[in-house]
Amino acid sequence: MTTLIEYLHRTIAVSDRLQQEIDRITRQRTVEKGQYLLRAGERCDVLRFVEQGLLRGYYIEQEKEITNWLAIDGEFATSFYSFITREASTESIEAIETTVLSEIKYADLQALYRDFPETERIGRILTENYYIKLEGRLLASHFKTAKERYEQLMDAHPILLQRAPLGYIASYLGISQETLSRIRAQY
Amino acid sequence: MTTLIEYLHRTIAVSDRLQQEIDRITRQRTVEKGQYLLRAGERCDVLRFVEQGLLRGYYIEQEKEITNWLAIDGEFATSFYSFITREASTESIEAIETTVLSEIKYADLQALYRDFPETERIGRILTENYYIKLEGRLLASHFKTAKERYEQLMDAHPILLQRAPLGYIASYLGISQETLSRIRAQY
DNA sequence: GATAGTTTTTGACATAGGTCAAAAACGGGG
DNA sequence: CCCCGTTTTTGACCTATGTCAAAAACTATC
């Protein structure tokens, strides 16, 4: 279990006043396994942070579900595209496990950026970190074999492999479920 | 030709004082075709903005050059990973054309963030935009065919196709040069 | 602990796109 | 306008991974 506020303290200096404001605009809640936090077509109006549990973001392409990301304890879980651009999301977000999360509304976050400019820094650093991760995924996708990508994930997030169904992981890695199953059989 | 300062004005409100400070820390320079701006192993200590020209970032994997990005007029061209993490870059940056660019040193940028908190916003928005672009590339890489990816690039950056050598574009799209050549032959 | 639903595995087969090698086309300096 | 180096194209062949389908292994519910 990692709370949002712990995460923030690790990223920037949080003054008492800021702390209070964050507490005020943050809402904690629990969603049951199988519940949806966002449906494709809706606009994503909250920044979500997974304190404990597991969510997945996916969208439908050619009648197939494509898992775009998996967010586990201590990670943000928002349809970034929709949240940033303010357009309708093509992604849906579903709870794979019963999940405890903290949420901040878009408008509240913008006001926070305005009233506490130091929080722009959080937004920036956070996005920078996510950018770097994504870059790694892209390079892997282009130039690593399915097996190498699986091994990379095994190193980085071994827990994920135990908690998320195989099909979602395969889709996340950009390989078919059958291929992933065969890779796994080699061990 | 798009100058950095034009770009910034489009992104945030730039006060006179800020404008002056940016002018002070920004250095414009020209690099000839074939020159290097960064070599793998060095740390990337400047934020670069291409005002006019074309740069590419690439790295070597299994004796092969992999083009990671191409930056044309009006785009930033920095080894983000190295610039953000302060580690040595695995990327090299080379000028494909004679290029005019503006540079800001890392330390100057950090001071700018500190003294003009509103510039954190630029950093954040800029990274957000780059994040979204990258996300699109990743999805395309996983679930689109080579041809579809090429067509996507043709729509988004037709100019690039005329200015960058085929091999770099192929590598950027994550396909072999031969395959790209064959795709192109179909038109 | 039998039933039904879901998830994973296995098998057979198809194909997009990779690799290697050679030929052709292009481009710029003399 | 010719030559040399580079870039692109073409051809032949190979392989990783996808697809479809069925069997097997789980999981949860009554």
Side-chain angles (χ1 to χ4, degrees):
Chain A
M1 176 102 173
T2 313
T3 65
L4 174 58
I5 205 73
E6 281 166 19
Y7 182 97
L8 295 183
H9 274 281
R10 257 184 275 132
T11 313
I12 54 158
V14 179
S15 68
D16 286 356
R17 247 188 81 235
L18 174 55
Q19 168 86 58
Q20 272 176 22
E21 181 60 12
I22 291 173
D23 287 345
R24 196 183 68 77
I25 63 178
T26 301
R27 194 179 75 143
Q28 198 185 61
R29 69 162 166 148
T30 301
V31 290
E32 298 301 318
K33 177 175 174 168
Q35 264 190 272
Y36 276 77
L37 287 152
L38 181 75
R39 299 254 180 198
E42 296 171 359
R43 189 169 70 182
C44 188
D45 280 321
V46 288
L47 182 67
R48 292 182 200 80
F49 182 85
V50 176
E51 306 206 323
Q52 172 148 57
L54 181 56
L55 304 180
R56 72 164 180 137
Y58 73 91
Y59 67 103
I60 309 276
E61 173 108 4
Q62 288 162 213
E63 329 223 313
K64 280 196 180 161
E65 286 186 4
I66 314 264
T67 295
N68 201 6
W69 49 259
L70 295 162
I72 205 165
D73 319 26
E75 295 183 331
F76 285 88
T78 290
S79 171
F80 259 93
Y81 182 83
S82 172
F83 190 77
I84 292 168
T85 63
R86 317 278 51 227
E87 290 174 22
S89 174
T90 49
E91 243 173 45
S92 299
I93 301 179
E94 184 195 3
I96 297 181
E97 302 176 352
T98 296
T99 299
V100 181
L101 38 89
S102 278
E103 295 182 340
I104 297 181
K105 292 209 183 75
Y106 180 84
D108 286 339
L109 183 67
Q110 299 309 315
L112 192 73
Y113 282 150
R114 193 192 57 225
D115 300 336
F116 298 82
E118 69 268 34
T119 59
E120 290 274 5
R121 166 169 291 253
I122 308 177
R124 176 175 61 84
I125 292 177
L126 208 143
T127 316
E128 283 175 358
N129 290 341
Y130 276 74
Y131 184 89
I132 285 171
K133 262 200 222 163
L134 201 57
E135 195 167 77
R137 264 179 88 193
L138 179 65
L139 295 179
S141 158
H142 276 170
F143 306 109
K144 303 273 182 187
T145 64
K147 188 173 182 184
E148 287 167 335
R149 277 178 272 154
Y150 175 69
E151 285 166 350
Q152 202 171 298
L153 183 65
M154 253 173 51
D155 286 347
H157 292 285
I159 327 101
L160 208 55
L161 302 182
Q162 282 148 33
R163 283 166 61 182
L166 180 97
Y168 297 164
I169 290 172
S171 177
Y172 172 75
L173 290 172
I175 45 189
S176 74
Q177 167 161 328
E178 293 91 330
T179 297
L180 183 55
S181 172
R182 280 183 249 262
I183 288 170
R184 208 156 66 159
Q186 290 169 31
Y187 290 95
Chain B
M1 177 102 175
T2 314
T3 66
L4 174 57
I5 203 74
E6 281 165 20
Y7 182 98
L8 295 183
H9 275 281
R10 258 184 274 130
T11 313
I12 55 157
V14 179
S15 68
D16 285 356
R17 247 187 80 236
L18 174 55
Q19 168 85 58
Q20 272 176 24
E21 180 62 11
I22 291 173
D23 287 345
R24 196 183 67 77
I25 63 179
T26 301
R27 194 180 75 141
Q28 197 185 61
R29 68 163 167 146
T30 300
V31 290
E32 297 301 316
K33 177 174 174 170
Q35 263 190 273
Y36 276 77
L37 289 152
L38 181 75
R39 300 253 179 199
E42 297 170 359
R43 189 169 71 181
C44 187
D45 279 322
V46 288
L47 183 66
R48 291 181 200 81
F49 182 85
V50 177
E51 305 206 324
Q52 172 147 56
L54 181 56
L55 305 179
R56 73 164 180 139
Y58 73 91
Y59 66 103
I60 310 275
E61 172 109 4
Q62 288 161 215
E63 329 222 315
K64 279 196 181 159
E65 287 187 3
I66 312 265
T67 295
N68 201 3
W69 49 260
L70 295 162
I72 204 166
D73 318 27
E75 296 184 329
F76 286 88
T78 289
S79 171
F80 259 93
Y81 181 83
S82 172
F83 189 78
I84 292 168
T85 63
R86 316 275 55 225
E87 291 173 21
S89 174
T90 50
E91 243 172 48
S92 299
I93 301 179
E94 184 195 3
I96 298 183
E97 302 174 353
T98 296
T99 299
V100 181
L101 37 88
S102 279
E103 295 182 341
I104 297 181
K105 292 209 183 76
Y106 181 85
D108 287 338
L109 183 67
Q110 299 309 315
L112 192 73
Y113 283 150
R114 192 192 58 226
D115 300 335
F116 298 81
E118 69 269 33
T119 59
E120 289 275 4
R121 166 170 292 252
I122 307 178
R124 175 176 61 83
I125 291 178
L126 209 143
T127 318
E128 283 175 358
N129 290 341
Y130 276 75
Y131 183 89
I132 285 172
K133 264 200 219 160
L134 200 58
E135 197 167 76
R137 263 179 89 192
L138 179 65
L139 295 178
S141 156
H142 276 170
F143 305 109
K144 304 273 182 187
T145 64
K147 189 174 180 184
E148 286 168 335
R149 276 178 273 153
Y150 175 70
E151 285 167 349
Q152 203 171 298
L153 183 64
M154 251 173 52
D155 286 347
H157 293 284
I159 325 99
L160 209 54
L161 302 183
Q162 283 149 32
R163 285 167 58 182
L166 181 97
Y168 298 164
I169 290 172
S171 177
Y172 172 76
L173 290 172
I175 46 189
S176 75
Q177 168 162 327
E178 293 92 329
T179 297
L180 184 54
S181 172
R182 279 183 250 265
I183 287 170
R184 209 155 67 157
Q186 289 170 32
Y187 289 97

